[in-house]
Amino acid sequence: MIDLPQVFRSEQALRGAFVEGLERMLAGHPGLGVFILVLANATYDSTIHQRLKGRLRERFGELAGAVRDDLRAGRPLTAAPDDVLVFLKLMAVGLDHLELSRVRQVGAFELQFNPLRAYRPPRMSDVAVTRLYSPYDPNGFHFNKPFLQKEIFWSGEIGQHRCRLLYNKFPFAELHGLLVIDAEDNKPQWFTQADHAAVWRTTRLLGQHLPGVGFGYNSHGAFASVNHQHLQMFVRSEGCYPVEAEQWQHSGGDRVYPLACRVYQDMDAAWEHLHLLHESNTAYNLLYRPGRMYLLARRFQGSYQHAGWTGGFAWSEVCGAVTTFNSGDFANLDEDVIFAEMEKLRI
């Protein structure tokens, strides 16, 4: 049996290390980017927020004062432009008026109100895409950038692979991280059979100790925001994603899911379908669970007009967990509206 690193041997160990890492970042890195990352993780998880809110308020006051001093003196703000824009929005709203994330059930789906995620830079997610493959661009945004070193939660080996797990700067899932396997290989957001096998085996291995673990994947053109191969790790402490429910035809039920979904319990059979999608230039989203993969083929981003209440449907949305940024939309959206929005992606 492969010996897993201690941090992945229980949900309690992972959760403890996750929060302690946020505390270390907040204490050791005074910049805007780290503050935004820690704040976003705290506003997503009320337990983390309760533990860190005092330190976050203190740090916000320090940073806001420094920004005001620089602006009054005519000095340039030296932080990354994306971080400056997000922080200025936070100053305009006020930290005490920033709401925490909330989730409610909407029929068969899950709706999340996540106001801080609305501030995140779009990167590639607002670009119209027509080709599934795009070569890796060393001059674009990627996970080997030196400034991202401080955002790494854990790095080491899982199985035979060098893995790097970064905090998600604007999380929308429990214990949300970005997994980059063999990051130095500089692979684009495109799977080979070996890549798929590595993810399948890693998910099964972690699932021995973390029953709620899973990985979401957006192909290029399916709202992947970075063209450097990565997956989005989560550990749901309770329940499953709506797409996993037994009521849907793809899981043996009688109800038709709004998108064509196939479920695979065999790694090689799953690859055969993935390979066909690559050959036919078809975008897709994936959900990996231990010993199982959900595959949802869909239209390319930019080939349809999504509604104003969503920033676009990526892996979480097509799996039935939908994020919105407006409290009115959160209160009023119903199952039929979400169903119809997802149907826009149907090929």
Side-chain angles (χ1 to χ4, degrees):
M1 178 179 289
I2 296 174
D3 192 25
L4 270 180
Q6 185 66 39
V7 68
F8 299 120
R9 291 187 189 174
S10 72
E11 184 180 330
Q12 182 180 8
L14 179 61
R15 190 174 296 276
F18 191 91
V19 179
E20 289 168 7
L22 292 173
E23 289 180 314
R24 283 195 302 272
M25 289 174 67
L26 189 61
H29 300 280
L32 298 185
V34 164
F35 173 81
I36 292 164
L37 183 152
V38 177
L39 177 66
N41 277 271
T43 57
Y44 176 78
D45 186 317
S46 60
T47 302
I48 297 176
H49 184 261
Q50 187 65 30
R51 183 162 165 174
L52 297 183
K53 65 181 181 181
R55 278 168 282 181
L56 283 166
R57 185 177 292 111
E58 181 180 353
R59 179 59 54 82
F60 179 74
E62 296 168 354
L63 292 171
V67 167
R68 290 191 191 97
D69 288 345
D70 285 343
L71 291 174
R72 288 168 181 155
R75 293 188 293 265
L77 301 178
T78 56
D82 286 343
D83 292 337
V84 169
L85 181 58
V86 171
F87 193 79
L88 289 175
K89 290 178 180 179
L90 288 170
M91 289 177 66
V93 171
L95 198 63
D96 291 335
H97 296 286
L98 182 66
E99 296 186 63
L100 303 187
S101 295
R102 288 177 278 153
V103 174
R104 72 180 181 93
Q105 201 68 27
V106 183
F109 303 114
E110 190 177 285
L111 186 63
Q112 179 182 140
F113 173 53
N114 192 329
L116 186 51
R117 187 166 169 79
Y119 299 174
R120 76 184 183 109
R123 296 200 178 97
M124 291 182 352
S125 58
D126 64 349
V127 177
V129 177
T130 59
R131 300 296 303 173
L132 191 60
Y133 179 82
S134 179
Y136 174 84
D137 179 7
N139 297 314
F141 186 93
H142 57 78
F143 296 110
N144 291 323
K145 295 277 188 182
F147 74 87
L148 289 176
Q149 292 296 309
K150 60 182 176 293
E151 298 182 13
I152 295 174
F153 163 59
W154 175 88
S155 63
E157 290 192 1
I158 301 178
Q160 299 177 346
H161 298 280
R162 295 164 292 141
C163 296
R164 187 183 302 169
L165 186 61
L166 295 91
Y167 284 100
N168 193 308
K169 195 167 185 174
F170 295 93
F172 53 89
E174 242 182 301
L175 298 176
H176 198 172
L178 300 175
L179 180 73
V180 188
I181 300 176
D182 299 325
E184 294 81 5
D185 291 349
N186 297 335
K187 295 178 285 190
Q189 191 73 340
W190 170 271
F191 268 174
T192 64
Q193 186 171 8
D195 296 326
H196 161 68
V199 178
W200 185 283
R201 290 168 179 149
T202 297
T203 312
R204 291 199 69 162
L205 185 60
L206 292 173
Q208 295 173 11
H209 300 276
L210 301 168
V213 75
F215 292 94
Y217 179 81
N218 305 316
S219 76
H220 182 65
F223 283 94
S225 60
V226 179
N227 190 27
H228 185 184
Q229 191 185 98
H230 66 286
L231 295 105
Q232 302 195 26
M233 180 178 171
F234 62 87
V235 180
R236 283 178 73 106
S237 56
E238 295 182 7
C240 59
Y241 274 92
V243 75
E244 300 176 81
E246 294 180 355
Q247 66 173 308
W248 306 114
Q249 285 184 351
H250 58 255
S251 294
D254 55 11
R255 190 173 180 190
V256 178
Y257 199 70
L259 274 177
C261 177
R262 298 199 182 196
V263 187
Y264 294 93
Q265 298 184 53
D266 179 83
M267 181 178 72
D268 295 329
W271 170 251
E272 288 177 11
H273 194 166
L274 278 176
H275 180 65
L276 290 175
L277 294 181
H278 292 171
E279 292 289 303
S280 63
N281 190 45
T282 303
Y284 59 88
N285 302 101
L286 304 176
L287 176 64
Y288 284 91
R289 290 292 217 166
R292 200 163 72 251
M293 188 190 84
Y294 295 80
L295 186 154
L296 299 106
R298 44 85 59 79
R299 295 175 65 185
F300 279 109
Q301 65 189 64
S303 67
Y304 63 94
Q305 183 65 48
H306 62 68
W309 53 263
T310 174
F313 273 41
W315 70 268
S316 178
E317 285 78 14
V318 303
C319 289
V322 177
T323 298
T324 190
F325 315 119
N326 179 285
S327 58
D329 292 331
F330 177 72
N332 297 317
L333 287 173
D334 60 30
E335 182 183 46
D336 290 341
V337 172
I338 294 172
F339 198 100
E341 186 66 21
M342 205 181 301
E343 282 190 309
K344 293 180 182 179
L345 283 66
R346 182 180 284 274
I347 298 173

